[in-house]
Amino acid sequence: MSQPTDKIQKLQYFGEFGGVNPSISDSSTYTFLSAKTMFDTFEGNTEGCYLYSRHSSPSNLYLGEALAALEGTESANVYASGMGAISSVIMQLCDSDDHIVSSRTIYGGTYAFMKNFLKKFKINTSFIDITNLDIVANSITSKTKMIYCEAVSNPLLEVADIKELAKIAKQHNIPLVVDNTFSPLSISAAKLGADIVIHSLTKFINGTSDCVAGAVCASTDFCLALKDVNDGAGMLFGSTLDSLRSAAILKNMRTLHIRIKKHSENTLYLASKFEKDGLKIVYPGLQSHKSHTTFKNQMNTEYGFGGLMTLDVGSLDKANAFMEMMQSESLGYLAVSLGFYKTLFSAPGTSTSSEIPMEEQEEMGLSDGLIRFSIGLDNDIEKTYIVMTKCMIALGIINKESILAEV
Ligand SMILES: *Cc1c(COP(=O)(O)O)cnc(C)c1O
């Protein structure tokens, strides 16, 4: 079960002077000993030759190999952001007038890209309930070029049944594209049948909230197509990751397994406690979660159910007051994003999902009292629980009598 981590740990790259980390490729361009090799490299025919760092660089290839090991794919490309990865994949797969079947609960930026930006190319997207497999199958037309979803969705934590979705995709001969940003290691999307797996490395994989980066894990053919100098979306849009960042992310990835386990352990603890206290908690690790079984059936058990949970405190005013109080109690930061050592919280309806119109937010169950938490690596989570509970009592979100703990 520890396969993905073992595979990552087996990857050893030594530095130029025998260093324990690979040397960083500090160059945008590369010399050739012969002019013929340069021509062949442009044509994509020489392995191990570097052309220009927008195409690839040794540092980016090392990180790519680690990401391919994470997902168990043949290959992986890295990008300057998660959106750089997502937009490249979509533009690579779609021509004008094409169609996408996408989950309606996806990252706000991805939603905006599909809904607004792709209009320029007359590419239409049907935003559907990804947990309803009949609707997914019935939404596919002769113009559909992919099924798109998040393994665990943002921010409502719906879980996609990747095996079943992959079957539908296969029947229609189209790829299943899965954004696995919320559940690295916990869910091996490609092993379950996804053809293309995308990550925003900005979140858990880098884990230090100090840069933006992204990745596409897929077949070698698709990864090379994205890099093609003549018609590769990754190459031509130019959202290339800088080698210095790439090297830093690879080093952080070495501790991913430990971090994910701790994020999961802490989140399960808080979610279970708060649920017992009668609060409205959504966490896939709880039996009450509507996709608990789906997650359980496809997870790599030892990494847990991930570090994201939501809590509905009833109104935006209460959510804002609670978040400000938690921040002043040093429980975490009122900030978007996720996967940091410190807990991060935000109200998605007015932040990360504000691209989604109000009516649609309501329809998908995104209420304005909803707070999304990315739970941190707190050493004493019991203490965190007590301080959070004290804040909620002070704000009248919960009353003292209903609490089990001695707060
Ligand atoms: C953050 C995020 C993205 C976008 O990634 P960036 O690195 O910010 O471009 C895409 N998908 C999900 C699920 C995310 O959380």
Side-chain angles (χ1 to χ4, degrees):
M1 279 311 229
S2 56
Q3 259 185 354
T5 301
D6 288 349
K7 272 197 177 164
I8 297 167
Q9 295 197 329
K10 264 194 199 134
L11 296 171
Q12 296 182 1
Y13 308 110
F14 298 105
E16 198 178 354
F17 304 102
V20 294
N21 290 304
S23 302
I24 298 170
S25 108
D26 199 19
S27 299
S28 59
T29 190
Y30 302 83
T31 58
F32 289 87
L33 288 177
S34 85
K36 169 81 169 68
T37 324
M38 183 183 271
F39 176 75
D40 289 344
T41 304
F42 260 95
E43 297 289 298
N45 295 332
T46 37
E47 215 174 292
C49 283
Y50 297 95
L51 191 63
Y52 181 60
S53 285
R54 176 153 44 78
H55 181 256
S56 70
S57 71
S59 299
N60 285 2
L61 290 189
Y62 292 142
L63 179 59
E65 279 177 32
L67 289 157
L70 168 74
E71 284 296 342
T73 53
E74 263 183 335
S75 213
N77 292 350
V78 295
Y79 292 90
S81 69
M83 282 311 299
I86 292 165
S87 54
S88 295
V89 166
I90 292 172
M91 296 314 285
Q92 192 70 24
L93 292 173
C94 291
D95 292 324
S96 57
D97 275 328
D98 277 341
H99 175 248
I100 297 168
V101 172
S102 170
S103 165
R104 63 184 184 190
T105 55
I106 50 172
Y107 178 69
T110 312
Y111 179 86
F113 183 75
M114 289 177 177
K115 177 116 181 166
N116 307 326
F117 194 86
L118 291 182
K119 258 200 268 178
K120 289 181 203 276
F121 306 95
K122 299 193 171 59
I123 299 168
N124 287 311
T125 304
S126 301
F127 294 100
I128 46 93
D129 175 357
I130 203 75
T131 61
N132 187 327
L133 298 169
D134 290 333
I135 293 183
V136 174
N138 292 333
S139 303
I140 295 171
T141 71
S142 58
K143 301 219 170 213
T144 307
K145 286 294 159 75
M146 78 188 86
I147 300 176
Y148 185 97
C149 68
E150 293 174 6
V152 178
S153 80
N154 182 18
L156 295 171
L157 312 178
E158 275 177 3
V159 182
D161 191 333
I162 298 170
K163 263 190 193 156
E164 291 303 317
L165 290 167
K167 275 188 209 159
I168 297 172
K170 219 171 222 103
Q171 275 162 14
H172 292 85
N173 209 18
I174 52 173
L176 172 64
V177 182
V178 176
D179 178 339
N180 201 17
T181 301
F182 275 31
S183 43
L185 289 176
S186 295
I187 294 178
S188 298
K191 282 191 196 143
L192 294 163
D195 299 282
I196 299 166
V197 183
I198 297 173
H199 281 282
S200 166
L201 306 178
T202 314
K203 316 296 169 54
F204 288 103
I205 292 181
N206 184 51
T208 43
S209 291
D210 54 359
C211 72
V212 285
V216 174
C217 310
S219 67
T220 302
D221 280 351
F222 187 69
C223 289
L224 286 178
L226 281 167
K227 284 200 245 191
D228 193 290
V229 293
N230 292 306
D231 60 6
M235 180 67 185
L236 300 175
F237 283 127
S239 54
T240 308
L241 184 58
D242 183 74
S243 291
L244 268 172
R245 276 303 179 194
S246 226
I249 296 168
L250 179 62
K251 283 177 279 185
N252 285 355
M253 234 185 121
R254 300 295 188 187
T255 57
L256 181 65
H257 57 294
I258 303 170
R259 291 186 280 114
I260 292 289
K261 284 177 193 175
K262 191 68 180 168
H263 283 299
S264 290
E265 181 191 310
N266 282 354
T267 314
L268 182 62
Y269 179 89
L270 289 179
S272 309
K273 285 280 207 183
F274 288 144
E275 183 171 65
K276 281 207 190 89
D277 292 341
L279 288 159
K280 274 169 84 177
I281 284 277
V282 170
Y283 182 59
L286 297 174
Q287 251 158 38
S288 58
H289 190 276
K290 83 181 199 338
S291 339
H292 176 70
T293 318
T294 313
F295 198 125
K296 214 173 157 178
N297 288 342
Q298 59 187 2
M299 78 192 291
N300 298 318
T301 315
E302 66 176 303
Y303 303 104
F305 292 89
L308 273 297
M309 66 173 206
T310 70
L311 168 63
D312 191 344
V313 295
S315 72
L316 183 60
D317 286 345
K318 274 188 179 167
N320 288 344
F322 183 35
M323 292 191 292
E324 284 166 14
M325 192 181 270
M326 283 190 291
Q327 181 158 260
S328 61
E329 292 292 334
S330 202
L331 288 167
Y333 300 130
L334 173 44
V336 299
S337 200
L338 45 127
F340 196 34
Y341 79 91
K342 192 99 176 166
T343 294
L344 301 178
F345 34 80
S346 57
T350 50
S351 61
T352 48
S353 295
S354 55
E355 294 93 338
I356 302 171
M358 226 42 214
E359 319 84 74
E360 287 175 47
Q361 288 193 24
E362 271 165 34
E363 205 186 304
M364 61 175 76
L366 219 171
S367 54
D368 62 3
L370 195 81
I371 303 174
R372 182 187 76 182
F373 287 86
S374 165
I375 301 298
L377 302 172
D378 307 25
N379 186 45
D380 187 351
I381 197 68
E382 214 176 311
K383 189 174 147 214
T384 302
Y385 162 72
I386 290 170
V387 183
M388 282 175 82
T389 304
K390 279 184 178 161
C391 293
M392 284 190 278
I393 292 170
L395 294 169
I397 292 167
I398 193 164
N399 47 44
K400 205 170 163 65
E401 296 74 50
S402 62
I403 309 289
L404 300 169
E406 291 168 42
V407 175

